[in-house]
């Protein structure tokens, strides 16, 4: 037995077994194994309880640049709280997508239809591990344009960029759907020009113009 433990084949086999055990453990820790109906129910509970933390842990995206944390998920949750009809619509879509996997048409390899909405219940098939489900969210993008060089562009209080051309355009994203506050600031010799707008990003990308030369723009005096 002692000689067996010292053999190269035994060491290699042991390393393979340990690697597999670590991989399987990581697989289940990273994404708890839930059937599709339980996963949809978890989303429903998170939305009903306004549980931002739980929802942020459930949502995934195929866009690796999309940040899904509690801060960003709260933007989505706040907008759904103001628009309960949208919440019900999202849940209806998820339940319909769940029933799709029970339908014989899915077994034929037919592509899952994207029912209206930006949440998609996705089946993740693995070759030698149990299949699992995830809920993917489609990101949205916001394009900000301004006609003022040196204008500082901000989204939800955070500086995005400072314009360096007279006609400037900046694409912001990927973002989670929700309502965002866009602000443009420009310091001059005697005044600070400041414009604020609200924009809703939902099922499509949006473009917003921050025109700092417009007479309707608010001007805050330095004095």
């Amino acid at each position: 037995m002692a000689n067996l433990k010292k053999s190269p084949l035994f060491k290699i086999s042991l390393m393979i077994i340990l690697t597999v055990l670590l991989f399987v453990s990581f697989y289940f820790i990273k994404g708890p194994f839930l059937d599709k109906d339980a996963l949809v129910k978890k989303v429903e509970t998170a939305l009903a309880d306004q549980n931002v933390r739980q929802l942020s842990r459930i949502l995934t995206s195929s866009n690796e640049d999309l940040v899904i944390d509690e801060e960003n998920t709260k933007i989505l949750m706040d907008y759904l709280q103001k628009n309960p009809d949208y919440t019900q619509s999202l849940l209806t879509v998820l339940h319909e997508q769940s029933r799709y996997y029970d339908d014989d048409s899915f077994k034929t390899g037919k592509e899952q239809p994207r029912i209206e909405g930006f949440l998609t219940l996705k089946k993740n098939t693995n070759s030698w591990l149990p299949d699992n489900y995830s809920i993917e969210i489609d990101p949205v993008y916001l394009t900000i344009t301004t006609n003022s060089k040196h204008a500082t562009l901000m989204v939800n209080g955070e500086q995005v960029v400072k314009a360096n051309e007279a006609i400037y355009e900046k694409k912001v994203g990927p973002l989670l759907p929700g309502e965002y506050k866009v602000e443009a600031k420009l310091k001059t010799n005697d005044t600070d020009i400041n414009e604020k707008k609200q924009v809703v990003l939902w099922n499509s990308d949006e473009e917003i113009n921050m025109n700092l030369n417009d007479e309707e723009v608010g001007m805050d005096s330095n004095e």
Side-chain angles (χ1 to χ4, degrees):
M1 184 67 180
N3 291 333
L4 178 62
K5 291 183 178 180
K6 294 180 180 180
S7 68
L9 181 60
F10 176 81
K11 293 180 179 179
I12 294 175
S13 300
L14 182 60
M15 289 179 63
I16 293 175
I17 293 173
L18 290 175
T19 301
V20 170
L21 289 175
L22 287 173
F23 179 79
V24 172
S25 300
F26 177 77
Y27 174 83
F28 285 104
I29 291 173
K30 182 180 179 182
F33 182 73
L34 294 173
D35 63 47
K36 57 185 178 58
D37 295 321
L39 185 59
V40 173
K41 182 63 178 177
K42 200 168 184 180
V43 174
E44 192 171 3
T45 301
L47 292 175
D49 297 341
Q50 298 293 305
N51 192 328
V52 175
R53 183 179 184 184
Q54 180 173 320
L55 185 62
S56 66
R57 292 182 172 184
I58 297 173
L59 297 179
T60 62
S61 177
S62 57
N63 190 319
E64 297 180 354
D65 295 327
L66 179 63
V67 178
I68 306 178
D69 55 17
E70 291 186 42
E71 181 180 356
N72 293 332
T73 305
K74 189 176 186 304
I75 297 173
L76 171 63
M77 187 76 83
D78 288 345
Y79 187 73
L80 290 174
Q81 189 176 15
K82 296 177 183 177
N83 300 273
D85 289 344
Y86 287 176
T87 301
Q88 187 56 50
S89 175
L90 292 178
L91 294 175
T92 299
V93 168
L94 289 177
H95 283 295
E96 289 181 358
Q97 291 176 346
S98 178
R99 284 192 292 270
Y100 172 80
Y101 288 109
D102 296 328
D103 196 326
D104 291 337
S105 62
F106 170 70
K107 299 176 183 179
T108 64
K110 181 180 178 181
E111 185 180 355
Q112 179 181 350
R114 283 240 178 188
I115 310 171
E116 64 178 85
F118 49 79
L119 291 184
T120 302
L121 178 65
K122 181 180 178 182
K123 184 176 183 178
N124 305 304
T125 303
N126 298 280
S127 56
W128 54 281
L129 287 174
D131 295 338
N132 68 351
Y133 293 84
S134 60
I135 294 181
E136 290 194 356
I137 185 167
D138 291 336
V140 286
Y141 291 83
L142 172 64
T143 300
I144 308 174
T145 61
T146 183
N147 62 346
S148 182
K149 191 175 181 179
H150 306 309
T152 299
L153 303 179
M154 307 177 71
V155 176
N156 283 3
E158 295 186 6
Q159 180 174 329
V160 173
V161 71
K162 190 170 183 178
N164 54 17
E165 297 177 359
I167 303 298
Y168 188 82
E169 179 179 292
K170 174 66 177 179
K171 187 174 183 179
V172 183
L175 302 170
L176 285 178
E179 186 174 15
Y180 291 83
K181 182 178 73 174
V182 183
E183 189 173 0
K185 294 182 177 181
L186 179 65
K187 288 184 176 294
T188 64
N189 293 331
D190 55 351
T191 59
D192 288 345
I193 305 175
N194 189 3
E195 183 180 19
K196 299 179 181 179
K197 291 183 180 180
Q198 297 288 127
V199 59
V200 174
L201 303 176
W202 200 242
N203 283 324
S204 62
D205 302 338
E206 297 291 341
E207 181 175 333
I208 189 170
N209 181 29
M210 308 299 286
N211 188 347
L212 295 181
N213 292 335
D214 195 304
E215 294 180 358
E216 296 180 358
V217 173
M219 300 180 66
D220 299 325
S221 172
N222 286 332
E223 297 179 2

